[in-house]
Amino acid sequence: MTTIPDRPSEIAISVAANALAAEADAAGVEITYEQRERLARAALEGAWPYLTATE
């Protein structure tokens, strides 16, 4: 049986931050590394209970 972690991994946060950077670039918006990492972390941690629900 697979154990679901309590929070997203640093790798997942990094992947999400890179996706945010690509979207921002495509939209012509400047976003710093710190901004995209904070946003990615907040989004994933906020959504984590819904993403990992087993029912």
Side-chain angles (χ1 to χ4, degrees), residues 7-17 33 37 40-41 44-45:
R7 59 180 30 177
S9 70
E10 291 301 314
I11 293 170
I13 292 168
S14 178
V15 168
Y33 177 80
E37 186 173 325
R41 184 177 303 280
L44 280 177
E45 287 179 355

Side-chain angles (χ1 to χ4, degrees), residues 3 8 12 15-16 22 26 28 32 34-36 41 44-45 51-52 55:
T3 302
V15 168
T32 67
E34 290 81 15
Q35 289 172 322
R36 68 183 189 223
R41 184 177 303 280
L44 280 177
E45 287 179 355
L51 294 171
T52 59
E55 294 182 25

